[in-house]
Amino acid sequence: MEIPGLVVHGESAPFSTALRSLINNPLYSDVRFVVGQERQEVFAHRCLLACRCNFFQRLLGPELGPGLPSPVVLSTVPAEAFLAVLEFLYTNSVKLHRHSVAVTFGLGLLQERCIAFIEAHSQEALRTRGFLELSAPALLPLLRSDKLCVDEAELVLAARSWARVGAAVLERPVAEVAAPVVQELRLALLAPAELSALEEQNRQEPLIPVEQIVEAWKCHALRRGDAARGARCRRRRGTLPREHHRFLDLPFK
C-alpha cells in the first residue's frame, strides 16, 4: 500500500506579504493599465490576473502578445477601486472602504463583500463619487437588497443623481439611462404626499415609467391583495415607518 506523501504548509502571512509587494510594482510587470479620470498608471502581472479572474483572462488574452503591451485604458474605473481589486486578486484579501467598493469584475466573493459593506454603510456610500460611477449591472443587486440601511425616499434621490451623471457622460436622456434599474425602486413604500411630489417631479424630469407610479398608487388604493404584495412593497432595513405600511403586511425579512 502506497504511503501518501507529506504535505508541507508554509506560513500564509509571508506569502501574502510577498505578493502584496508586487501590487502596482513595475518589477517584472508585463501589463500596464491607465485607470480613472486622472489616468493613473498601474502596473500588474498578466499571468496572475488571468489565472485569478475570468474578466482579465478575456481582457489579457494571447492577442496582446509578449512584452509590455500598450496600456489598457479603463477610464471609467476609479483608481482606488481598481487597486482594491488588484489587492484581492494578488493576496485573496482586501480591506474595503466606502470609496473602493464600486468595481468587482465579476468576482463573486468580492461582489458579495462589497454589497454587504454598502448595505451596512448605505447612506455614506450613496453620497460617494464611486456610487455615481457604478454601472447599471452593478447597481441592480444593490437596489434589489432588503438590507440597505436607507429610506426609499433617499434611495429615489440617489437613483436620480446616478442617472443624471450617466446621462451627462453618455449624452442620453435621464429616463433612458435609468430604465434598467428604476424598476427596483419600491415606490409603494412612499407616503401619498411623497408619491404625489415624486409624480410632479417626474413630469418635469422623467425618471420613472408612469406605469410604475400607477402601480404604487394601486397599492395605496387597494391596501390589500396581490397589488400590495411582492418585492416592490417589501420594506428594507432602513425604511422609515409610515402609516400605510401596516396595510402592506410585509415586515422586513
Side-chain angles (χ1 to χ4, degrees):
M1 182 176 179
E2 184 179 354
I3 300 176
L6 177 65
V7 177
V8 179
H9 294 281
E11 295 185 15
S12 59
F15 179 75
S16 178
T17 300
L19 286 176
R20 183 173 281 107
S21 70
L22 293 177
I23 298 172
N24 197 17
N25 188 337
L27 183 65
Y28 308 125
S29 170
D30 57 0
V31 63
R32 291 180 296 146
F33 295 88
V34 174
V35 297
Q37 296 180 355
E38 300 82 4
R39 298 185 60 82
Q40 178 176 337
E41 188 176 43
V42 177
F43 296 92
H45 305 81
R46 190 166 67 178
C47 65
L48 197 152
L49 299 185
C51 74
R52 287 279 286 149
C53 177
N54 289 334
F55 171 86
F56 285 112
Q57 187 177 66
R58 294 190 298 270
L59 181 68
L60 306 175
E63 62 273 10
L64 282 179
L68 195 65
S70 299
V72 179
V73 179
L74 300 173
S75 59
T76 61
V77 180
E80 185 175 354
F82 185 73
L83 288 170
V85 170
L86 289 191
E87 183 177 358
F88 181 81
L89 292 177
Y90 276 67
T91 69
N92 211 36
S93 66
V94 62
K95 184 176 181 180
L96 296 177
H97 301 278
R98 62 191 179 98
H99 297 294
S100 61
V101 295
V103 182
T104 62
F105 296 112
L107 297 169
L109 178 61
L110 183 57
Q111 184 181 52
E112 291 174 9
R113 296 292 187 269
C114 288
I115 290 175
F117 184 91
I118 294 175
E119 286 171 341
H121 305 85
S122 304
Q123 293 187 353
E124 298 92 334
L126 294 183
R127 300 187 184 104
T128 65
R129 172 182 159 186
F131 173 79
L132 297 176
E133 293 175 341
L134 285 174
S135 65
L139 182 56
L140 269 176
L142 293 176
L143 296 184
R144 289 171 178 161
S145 172
D146 292 344
K147 299 178 181 179
L148 289 177
C149 295
V150 64
D151 186 64
E152 208 65 24
E154 189 172 346
L155 199 56
V156 171
L157 291 176
R160 185 178 294 277
S161 297
W162 172 85
R164 283 172 175 166
V165 171
V169 172
L170 301 173
E171 298 183 345
R172 292 161 50 193
V174 169
E176 183 180 333
V177 172
V181 301
V182 290
Q183 72 270 14
E184 301 301 332
L185 294 173
R186 304 177 186 183
L187 304 185
L189 297 177
L190 302 177
E194 295 172 307
L195 196 53
S196 293
L198 174 62
E199 194 170 22
E200 178 59 32
Q201 185 179 15
N202 205 61
R203 290 193 189 99
Q204 300 174 15
E205 183 188 36
L207 173 75
I208 300 169
V210 174
E211 297 79 7
Q212 188 175 343
I213 297 177
V214 169
E215 285 298 314
W217 279 121
K218 190 183 296 185
C219 288
H220 281 278
L222 297 180
R223 294 191 172 188
R224 61 185 177 81
D226 293 340
R229 296 180 181 274
R232 295 178 189 173
C233 293
R234 190 164 57 243
R235 282 176 273 181
R236 304 181 196 268
R237 180 172 287 164
T239 300
L240 298 177
R242 293 167 175 82
E243 190 274 335
H244 75 285
H245 287 177
R246 60 193 177 96
F247 296 108
L248 299 181
D249 193 30
L250 284 172
F252 165 75
K253 294 183 180 180

